[in-house]
């Protein structure tokens, strides 16, 4: 291992609060924290973060208490990313801030909710959860006296916006620039993206088995999980199945994490970026899987897509969830006065500025902010005449 890995603290390639492109509205520096710690703390205190507890990851919140929610998913992403961040001498506070915020813009009911809302918003500029996460931290949180949103640092906002179409990138100014110029984001943003996939691939295997929608024979057929199952069975031939599953899942996280650390360490050593600016100008992403692991994790991801996300039980729930959101959207768009007064006023304001597009955006903001149970309840309140309130 070469000398650069022995030194303490972040390397020259890491995000650096001293070199930050700053906040949209400048503020005095925090007394006891780095700027990125302040971002992390603002995210944890915001109301969109607390709502993650009641939003679907794959299984709708009321299907069972042991399944991952958006909140526990977020914590798993964060914990995986911090391990990798420290090993690669990235900025751990920035890594943490990006990971904690990465799913703030998710609708209720997971991907089914996002697809339904995107469908509803098709003629009004569409709906995309990455952009919505940014909208939450830039505009929608109303907590501070001097600004809307959380006024986060550029680097945290950059990390939250992991994908973006060129059309939207043009409206985002400096933040959208990298999608137009095709340059890279900082390493902490690159990492948050991969840590997200490590977390969901592993916990969806666990949740899918728990729900009885996947079985171990299927996982035995895949290269990655098959190898890990063999290893656990060899070491512990009598192990009961719940522990067998967990021993496999922890190895799965461990292997993916180790592969990203080793592969990225070599990439950083080869590229020797002298600053976060050099990382951004680099031709390729430096945080990545090895080719072999990338192939294996893709096989697992495709398997989960076919067997879990499209399983008829998940599909039926997703279809119901989609219908609920579409009906909510239509009713609220037809009469924005059905929304609570604050959201109603906001939608009117947006309508004055952007016409029908603005009105629809106000409705989408309201719906995207709902938890699963709030959306179900609001649907009942609007459509069931027996409900008094
Ligand atoms: Mg995620």
């Amino acid at each position: 291992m070469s000398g650069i890995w022995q030194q303490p603290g972040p390397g020259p390639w890491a995000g650096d609060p001293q070199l930050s492109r700053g906040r949209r509205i400048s503020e005095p520096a925090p007394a006891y924290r780095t700027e990125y710690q302040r971002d992390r703390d603002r995210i944890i205190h915001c109301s969109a973060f607390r709502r993650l507890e009641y939003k679907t990851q794959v299984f709708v919140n009321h299907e069972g208490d042991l399944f991952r929610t958006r909140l526990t998913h977020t914590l798993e992403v964060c914990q995986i990313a911090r391990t990798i961040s420290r090993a690669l001498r990235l900025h751990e506070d920035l890594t943490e801030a990006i990971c904690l915020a990465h799913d703030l813009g998710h609708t209720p009911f997971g991907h089914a909710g996002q697809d339904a809302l995107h469908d509803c918003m098709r003629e009004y500029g569409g709906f995309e959860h990455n952009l919505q996460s940014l909208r939450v931290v830039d505009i929608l949180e109303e907590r501070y006296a001097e600004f809307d949103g959380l006024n986060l640092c550029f680097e945290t906002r950059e990390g939250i916006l992991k994908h973006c179409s060129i059309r939207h990138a043009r409206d985002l100014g400096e933040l959208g620039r990298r999608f137009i110029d095709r340059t890279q984001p900082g390493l902490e943003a690159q990492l948050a993206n991969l840590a997200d996939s490590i977390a969901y691939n592993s916990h969806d295997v666990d949740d899918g088995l728990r729900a009885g929608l996947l079985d171990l024979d299927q996982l035995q057929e895949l290269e990655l999980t098959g190898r890990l199952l063999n290893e656990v069975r060899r070491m512990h031939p009598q192990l009961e199945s719940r522990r067998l599953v967990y021993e496999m899942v922890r190895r799965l996280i461990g292997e993916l994490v180790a592969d990203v650390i080793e592969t990225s360490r070599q990439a950083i050593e080869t590229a020797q970026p002298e600053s976060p600016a050099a990382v951004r100008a680099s031709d390729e992403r430096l945080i990545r899987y090895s080719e072999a692991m990338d192939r294996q994790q893709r096989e697992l991801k495709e398997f989960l897509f076919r067997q879990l996300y499209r399983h008829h039980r998940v599909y039926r729930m997703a279809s119901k969830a989609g219908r609920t959101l579409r009906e909510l959207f239509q009713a609220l768009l037809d009469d924005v006065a059905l929304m609570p007064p604050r959201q109603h006023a906001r939608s009117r304001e947006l309508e004055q500025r952007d016409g029908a597009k603005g009105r629809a955006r106000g409705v989408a903001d309201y719906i995207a902010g709902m938890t699963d149970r709030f959306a179900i309840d609001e649907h009942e309140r609007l459509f069931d005449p027996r409900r008094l309130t």
Side-chain angles (χ1 to χ4, degrees), residues 142-248:
E142 293 175 327
R143 311 177 66 74
Y144 298 91
E146 288 171 9
F147 44 80
D148 285 339
L150 307 179
N151 196 33
L152 302 180
C153 294
F154 178 90
E155 296 73 25
T156 310
R157 298 170 61 234
E158 174 193 50
I160 292 171
L161 190 66
K162 60 178 177 189
H163 319 285
C164 177
S165 65
I166 298 287
R167 183 167 58 95
H168 285 126
R170 291 208 181 90
D171 301 332
L172 290 169
E174 208 194 345
L175 200 66
R177 199 72 240 158
R178 75 178 162 99
F179 299 98
I180 299 165
D181 298 347
R182 295 178 178 278
T183 55
Q184 308 301 333
L187 294 181
E188 291 78 3
Q190 297 182 27
L191 169 56
N193 207 3
L194 278 197
D196 190 21
S197 72
I198 295 176
Y200 65 67
N201 280 330
S202 318
H203 65 48
D204 289 352
V205 165
D206 189 41
D207 279 354
L209 287 166
R210 177 177 296 108
L213 306 185
L214 304 177
D215 64 51
L216 286 172
D217 291 344
Q218 293 171 311
L219 290 159
Q220 187 69 55
E221 297 298 310
L222 305 175
E223 189 179 352
L224 182 54
T225 46
R227 184 174 73 239
L228 298 173
L229 279 170
N230 289 341
E231 189 185 309
V232 181
R233 284 185 171 124
R234 204 170 46 241
M235 293 173 72
H236 309 282
Q238 306 300 331
L239 203 60
E240 48 118 348
S241 70
R242 235 5 272 171
R243 288 184 195 238
L244 171 64
V245 169
Y246 185 62
E247 284 290 340
M248 187 255 296

Side-chain angles (χ1 to χ4, degrees), residues 248-262:
M248 187 255 296
V249 170
R250 69 184 276 240
R251 281 172 173 75
L252 180 57
I253 300 173
E255 287 232 352
L256 292 165
V257 165
D259 183 82
V260 171
I261 291 175
E262 291 313 322

Side-chain angles (χ1 to χ4, degrees), residues 265-290:
R265 200 197 286 269
Q266 276 170 26
I268 293 172
E269 241 175 69
T270 308
Q272 299 267 353
E274 297 275 316
S275 65
V279 166
R280 290 191 171 82
S282 137
D283 293 336
E284 49 175 16
R285 295 217 163 188
L286 300 177
I287 308 295
R288 56 187 189 229
Y289 294 112
S290 65

Side-chain angles (χ1 to χ4, degrees), residues 60-80:
V60 174
N61 193 262
H62 56 261
E63 287 183 277
D65 289 349
L66 284 179
F67 296 120
R68 268 71 176 186
T69 65
R70 284 267 162 221
L71 181 63
T72 61
H73 161 72
T74 296
L75 296 176
E76 290 186 33
V77 172
C78 194
Q79 156 253 356
I80 287 167

Side-chain angles (χ1 to χ4, degrees), residues 86-144:
R86 204 178 295 183
L88 293 176
R89 301 187 57 215
L90 310 188
H91 203 290
E92 201 172 325
D93 301 336
L94 176 57
T95 304
E96 193 180 8
I98 296 170
C99 291
L100 290 174
H102 88 283
D103 272 351
L104 288 179
H106 258 289
T107 60
F109 309 126
H111 280 280
Q114 133 99 21
D115 293 348
L117 199 51
H118 180 59
D119 240 16
C120 295
M121 287 294 289
R122 210 169 277 279
E123 350 165 10
Y124 311 108
F127 179 89
E128 213 279 299
H129 67 86
N130 283 303
L131 278 170
Q132 191 68 14
S133 298
L134 191 66
R135 216 171 141 70
V136 167
V137 301
D138 279 356
I139 304 169
L140 296 177
E141 282 287 328
E142 293 175 327
R143 311 177 66 74
Y144 298 91

